Amino acid sequence: MSTPDVQHVDSATGTLADWNAAGLLAAADLHITDRLIRMCAEPVSDEARLGAALAVRAVRLGSTCLALDRIGELAAGDTAEVEMPSPRAVLDALAASPLVTGSEAGPLRPLVVRDSVDGPLVYLQKYFRQEQTIREILDRRARTSPAVDTEALGEAIATVYSSPDDGALQKLAAAVAATRWTTVLAGGPGTGKTYTVARILAVLDRLQGPGLRIGLCAPTGRAAAQLQASVESESTLPVTAHAVTLHSLLGWRPGSNPRYGRGRTLPHDVIVVDETSMLSMTAMSRLLDAVRPDARVVFVGDPHQLASVEAGAVLADLVERTDLPDTGAEDVPLTTPTQAFDAVGLDPAAEDLDPDDVARLADGVITLRTQFRFGGGISQVAAAVNAGKPDAVLELVTSPDIDDVELVAPDELDDVAGDILAWGRNLRAAAQRGDATGALDALDSHRVLCAHREGSWGVRGWTTRITDWLGTTEAEHMGWYVGQPILVTANDRQTATFNGDTGVVIVDPDSDAQTSNRSGSPETIRVAFRRGGEIRLLHPTQLADVVSVHAMTIHRSQGSQFDRVTVVLPPAGSELLTRELLYTAITRARSRVRIVGTADVLAAAVNRRVQRASGLRSAVTAI
């Protein structure tokens, strides 16, 4: 008996039925579209129905709107043939439909159509309102700038940036953040973003004096805890603040409106948002709605990493914003870059400054480029991936002159197995000694990263392979054992552990009991975690939501760093196989990357960029 296709909608008719049968529209796309049409209570043409369904599909796949000029790309490749209307025909049908104009049944207009530099865009009303909120608030905040004495700013920067290794761009970042209400601090892993954030806060503290109210937040509990640890590590700076999740900052509980919003703004003088690439459009609009007009906001992150799992790629949009409307205050925003350069004694035309970076300062965007964490082949390959140059990537990973990045065929895993066996031996030896520091160092010395969770080339398949290599398959079924790598899968405020944290089971350093290689009783073992420079030991019974972590998804690895990384590419044709996914995986490593896959699959990943349609990158106008 064949398994029914859960994505097939038997009741679908016309164009939507054809697109659903071809696999281009999911059942959810059709059901939501049908509900929107029934609410309008008027007939809707086939072309307008298709436009609405594609707008729903776009949000499901992470965009905030449908870029009509790109609908031809949907039926490319081996997909079954469907009748492909022209973008103009869909646009005209939508513009005349009650979905956009409203109907006699009421003023409901579930869709919005706008024009942009990327062509006509079709929004669900909710996401258009959120994007419009972001656009209007950012434009309003750009019309004025904080009153800052240039000489005092220069003195504060000189005092805080006391190391001879402090770069010009890091100092310039502090000057930009002091002279603008909104700043975007972008940069890849290891470029010193958190280091710079701590010094930005110290500069602002010196300018304002005692009582600066600082809000530190991140999209996830783990990212917030890492931000807290990083800022605390800069103990010489006069900055005190507690990092929380964005939801906690806003008082935003599931199923309810945030405590802070337009009618009740946040009390902070400066708000830092780390890992902004993970921020959804909804979260960004809620945050900006709650920020005081005279509060500084600093968005921090890597625009090339994987975006939010929800709709939107807000950080990339902010970095790429062009052709913005005139703010109406010519004398204010244009003085900001000049004042910033004057404060740090830099010439905007200096040879070591990228002209494009200098030009973006007028929009409050500053990009750190110098790598402090890794270099050599990893840096070169990451740059080639970002540039979308598959030939250059393939040349680098197969070059005998590059010894820290290599491509390994899927059927030649001897070296991978050797690395994992060495990793397992070191992990187990330190765990048996009760050496928490050594065990955690060993845990982070190597990590297998997969694109998928399921399948033979996903986390599940590689976990089976690794436990077979290590000989721990039986121990995995028995429960806790010494040397077991642990992944936390849910936030727990009581134990201060967060979804994505990793730890290792060790012999309790305070216990005299002897524990075997394969198992341990709860009385004689502890689970070690590290946050910044602090190590914490928890009793196993304190941890409810944990699993073993012999491999993890690339998505879950964001924000982590390992000495060596083995990246397992999915088979050809995977929808997850993108440039952003590959870049994120490669840049998790400090010293070495091994990519398991074929040259064709690697090239396909470099060529395929995540395309999230949005109207934030440019001005939008009514059609």
Side-chain angles (χ1 to χ4, degrees):
M1 181 184 233
S2 61
T3 302
D5 183 359
V6 295
Q7 295 299 337
H8 180 70
V9 181
D10 293 332
S11 60
T13 60
T15 302
L16 293 191
D18 296 338
W19 282 61
N20 176 238
L24 295 172
L25 290 173
D29 304 330
L30 270 63
H31 292 318
I32 294 173
T33 300
D34 182 60
R35 181 173 179 82
L36 295 177
I37 292 171
R38 284 190 283 110
M39 291 171 69
C40 289
E42 285 189 9
V44 175
S45 69
D46 251 14
E47 288 86 356
R49 285 173 178 262
L50 178 61
L54 291 177
V56 174
R57 175 188 184 274
V59 171
R60 177 171 58 83
L61 296 181
S63 294
T64 55
C65 57
L66 166 68
L68 273 178
D69 286 350
R70 286 171 39 202
I71 62 173
E73 301 171 11
L74 301 180
D78 299 327
T79 308
E81 290 186 5
V82 294
E83 183 179 351
M84 179 61 61
S86 70
R88 187 75 226 181
V90 176
L91 176 62
D92 290 344
L94 282 170
S97 78
L99 292 167
V100 173
T101 63
S103 68
E104 293 183 0
L108 179 67
R109 297 178 176 85
L111 299 183
V112 177
V113 178
R114 288 292 186 270
D115 199 10
S116 73
V117 294
D118 296 320
L121 307 175
V122 182
Y123 293 86
L124 297 180
Q125 182 72 244
K126 169 186 173 180
Y127 293 97
F128 176 73
R129 288 199 306 267
Q130 291 177 355
E131 190 176 281
Q132 192 70 357
T133 294
I134 296 171
R135 189 172 13 250
E136 290 175 352
I137 292 176
L138 288 178
D139 291 345
R140 188 162 61 244
R141 290 173 63 83
R143 293 188 188 123
T144 63
S145 60
V148 177
D149 180 85
T150 304
E151 184 177 346
L153 175 58
E155 291 175 355
I157 291 174
T159 301
V160 170
Y161 286 91
S162 56
S163 170
D165 295 329
D166 290 330
L169 281 179
Q170 291 175 319
K171 297 176 183 177
L172 194 57
V176 171
T179 54
R180 287 190 61 88
W181 295 123
T182 308
T183 303
V184 178
L185 179 62
T191 53
K193 295 189 298 295
T194 307
Y195 175 91
T196 303
V197 164
R199 275 148 184 78
I200 287 174
L201 296 175
V203 167
L204 296 178
D205 182 77
R206 286 182 173 274
L207 287 176
Q208 179 163 319
L212 181 71
R213 292 168 294 183
I214 300 172
L216 300 178
C217 68
T220 67
R222 179 167 172 268
Q226 289 178 323
L227 173 62
Q228 179 73 40
S230 297
V231 172
E232 286 179 349
S233 69
E234 305 295 338
S235 57
T236 59
L237 302 178
V239 175
T240 57
H242 179 62
V244 296
T245 65
L246 177 65
H247 282 70
S248 294
L249 184 77
L250 297 177
W252 191 4
R253 300 288 180 262
S256 63
N257 289 323
R259 177 186 181 192
Y260 292 100
R262 190 167 302 182
R264 184 180 186 178
T265 55
L266 291 163
H268 307 94
D269 302 308
V270 56
I271 297 172
V272 175
V273 186
D274 199 15
E275 297 288 359
T276 309
S277 63
M278 300 165 66
L279 209 62
S280 68
M281 179 73 69
T282 301
M284 175 64 89
S285 65
R286 293 286 198 180
L287 171 65
L288 287 177
D289 234 1
V291 174
R292 294 188 352 242
D294 61 345
R296 293 177 176 86
V297 181
V298 182
F299 295 109
V300 186
D302 185 351
H304 301 295
Q305 283 193 30
L306 292 165
S308 166
V309 295
E310 300 178 47
V314 181
L315 181 63
D317 289 341
L318 295 183
V319 171
E320 297 173 7
R321 288 186 99 203
T322 58
D323 298 328
L324 300 179
D326 188 350
T327 63
E330 297 179 1
D331 59 327
V332 175
L334 295 181
T335 63
T336 299
T338 302
Q339 187 180 17
F341 277 107
D342 289 346
V344 296
L346 279 178
D347 181 356
E351 292 183 0
D352 58 342
L353 293 177
D354 187 316
D356 291 337
D357 288 344
V358 173
R360 297 312 311 279
L361 290 180
D363 297 324
V365 177
I366 187 161
T367 303
L368 303 179
R369 302 191 184 279
T370 302
Q371 282 287 349
F372 298 101
R373 186 174 298 160
F374 54 73
I378 296 177
S379 180
Q380 293 178 59
V381 172
V385 169
N386 266 343
K389 298 179 178 179
D391 291 341
V393 172
L394 290 172
E395 182 178 350
L396 287 167
V397 300
T398 56
S399 170
D401 298 327
I402 301 293
D403 60 3
D404 53 357
V405 185
E406 66 173 321
L407 180 65
V408 176
D411 57 353
E412 298 178 2
L413 299 177
D414 289 348
D415 288 343
V416 175
D419 273 1
I420 290 174
L421 284 170
W423 169 79
R425 283 195 298 268
N426 293 336
L427 184 65
R428 187 178 303 147
Q432 288 172 339
R433 295 194 304 268
D435 179 2
T437 300
L440 290 167
D441 288 345
L443 178 68
D444 290 340
S445 67
H446 183 261
R447 187 62 49 86
V448 174
L449 303 179
C450 305
H452 291 271
R453 188 178 305 279
E454 304 296 333
S456 60
W457 293 99
V459 170
R460 187 178 296 276
W462 268 81
T463 295
T464 299
R465 182 180 281 110
I466 292 170
T467 55
D468 284 346
W469 286 341
L470 296 177
T472 58
T473 301
E474 182 180 350
E476 287 286 331
H477 294 300
M478 294 175 62
W480 300 97
Y481 64 94
V482 175
Q484 182 179 12
I486 294 296
L487 172 71
V488 178
T489 58
N491 294 340
D492 187 338
R493 292 177 180 273
Q494 288 188 331
T495 60
T497 54
F498 302 96
N499 188 359
D501 281 350
T502 56
V504 59
V505 178
I506 68 171
V507 171
D508 183 358
D510 297 327
S511 171
D512 294 329
Q514 297 296 314
T515 305
S516 72
N517 291 0
R518 292 290 180 265
S519 64
S521 66
E523 293 76 22
T524 60
I525 61 175
R526 294 293 182 268
V527 185
F529 293 95
R530 175 159 46 201
R531 181 87 64 209
E534 179 188 357
I535 291 179
R536 300 171 60 244
L537 300 180
L538 297 178
H539 195 280
T541 56
Q542 294 177 271
L543 301 168
D545 299 296
V546 296
V547 295
S548 294
V549 57
H550 295 90
M552 68 194 311
T553 62
I554 298 171
H555 274 82
R556 194 183 283 275
S557 74
Q558 288 193 95
S560 299
Q561 286 293 313
F562 313 101
D563 291 336
R564 302 159 71 93
V565 162
T566 296
V567 181
V568 181
L569 297 182
S574 168
E575 289 188 356
L576 294 180
L577 193 63
T578 64
R579 184 183 307 173
E580 290 81 359
L581 185 88
L582 181 60
Y583 168 83
T584 300
I586 290 171
T587 54
R588 298 310 93 201
R590 297 187 185 95
S591 62
R592 186 176 179 82
V593 177
R594 183 177 280 119
I595 302 171
V596 178
T598 65
D600 289 343
V601 171
L602 179 60
V606 178
N607 277 322
R608 185 179 183 187
R609 187 180 182 187
V610 173
Q611 298 287 351
R612 290 198 168 187
S614 166
L616 270 183
R617 289 188 289 271
S618 67
V620 297
T621 56
I623 294 180

